[in-house]
Structures are given as structure tokens and as C-alpha cells.
């Protein structure tokens, strides 16, 4: 169970930290760079396609695990983006 929690919180924390770092370094310049951490979504996509192609007895669980990791990456990016947007609005 701890391993499953680590597979969710690890990508979430890394993506959140990277998004906040990019947002802090760019500060209204090169705003499109904040989309860069979304490239990490290619990893779960490739993993889930691999699990699907391999088939096997519990391939659905493998795909579900990769979807969970992709969701964590997206939530981490969304949280970092929201925090960066909040800092831009306040003077």
C-alpha cells in the first residue's frame, strides 16, 4: 500500500516542484514554458500502451496504474500552474 501511495505522491510532488520552479524563473516572460512539465505525460501514456500491447492476465491493472501516475502528474502541474497564476495577480 505504501508503494502505491509513493507512486501517486512522487510524480505529483516532482511535477508541482518543477512547475513552480519554471514559473518562478520565467516570471511573465516565456509563459509557454510552464507547459513543459506536461511532457511527462508521455511516460504514462507509453507505459499504458505497453501494458495494453503485452496483454496478460491483469493488463487492466497495469493500465490503471499508469493512468493513476498520469493523473498525479496532471494534478501536480495544475496545482503549480494555479499557484503561479495566483502570484502573478497579486502586486
Amino acid at each position: 500500500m505504501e508503494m502505491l501511495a509513493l507512486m501517486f505522491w512522487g510524480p505529483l510532488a516532482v511535477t508541482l516542484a518543477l512547475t513552480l520552479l519554471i514559473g518562478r524563473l520565467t516570471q511573465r516572460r516565456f509563459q509557454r514554458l510552464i507547459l513543459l512539465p506536461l511532457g511527462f505525460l508521455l511516460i504514462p501514456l507509453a507505459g499504458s500502451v505497453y501494458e495494453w500491447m503485452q496483454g496478460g492476465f491483469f493488463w487492466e491493472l497495469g493500465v490503471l496504474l499508469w493512468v493513476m501516475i498520469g493523473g498525479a502528474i496532471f494534478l501536480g502541474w495544475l496545482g503549480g500552474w494555479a499557484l503561479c497564476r495566483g502570484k502573478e495577480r497579486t502586486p
Side-chain angles (χ1 to χ4, degrees):
M1 191 64 164
E2 294 86 22
M3 183 66 84
L4 193 61
L6 184 64
M7 288 181 162
F8 179 78
W9 291 109
L12 189 133
V14 168
T15 309
L16 177 66
L18 185 62
T19 305
L20 288 174
L21 179 68
I22 290 172
R24 173 106 172 139
L25 291 177
T26 58
Q27 292 181 0
R28 297 184 186 160
R29 299 176 309 231
F30 310 114
Q31 289 184 354
R32 300 282 183 218
L33 282 179
I34 202 132
L35 297 174
L36 188 65
L38 284 178
F40 287 138
L41 287 174
L42 292 176
I43 298 168
L45 177 66
S48 61
V49 168
Y50 176 76
E51 292 287 338
W52 174 66
M53 297 288 284
Q54 289 294 317
F57 192 59
F58 286 120
W59 69 270
E60 293 95 350
L61 290 177
V63 171
L64 185 64
L65 174 71
W66 286 108
V67 167
M68 181 192 73
I69 293 171
I73 290 171
F74 182 73
L75 286 176
W77 175 82
L78 193 63
W81 178 77
L83 287 172
C84 287
R85 295 284 298 183
K87 289 179 184 176
E88 287 178 5
R89 285 188 226 140
T90 59

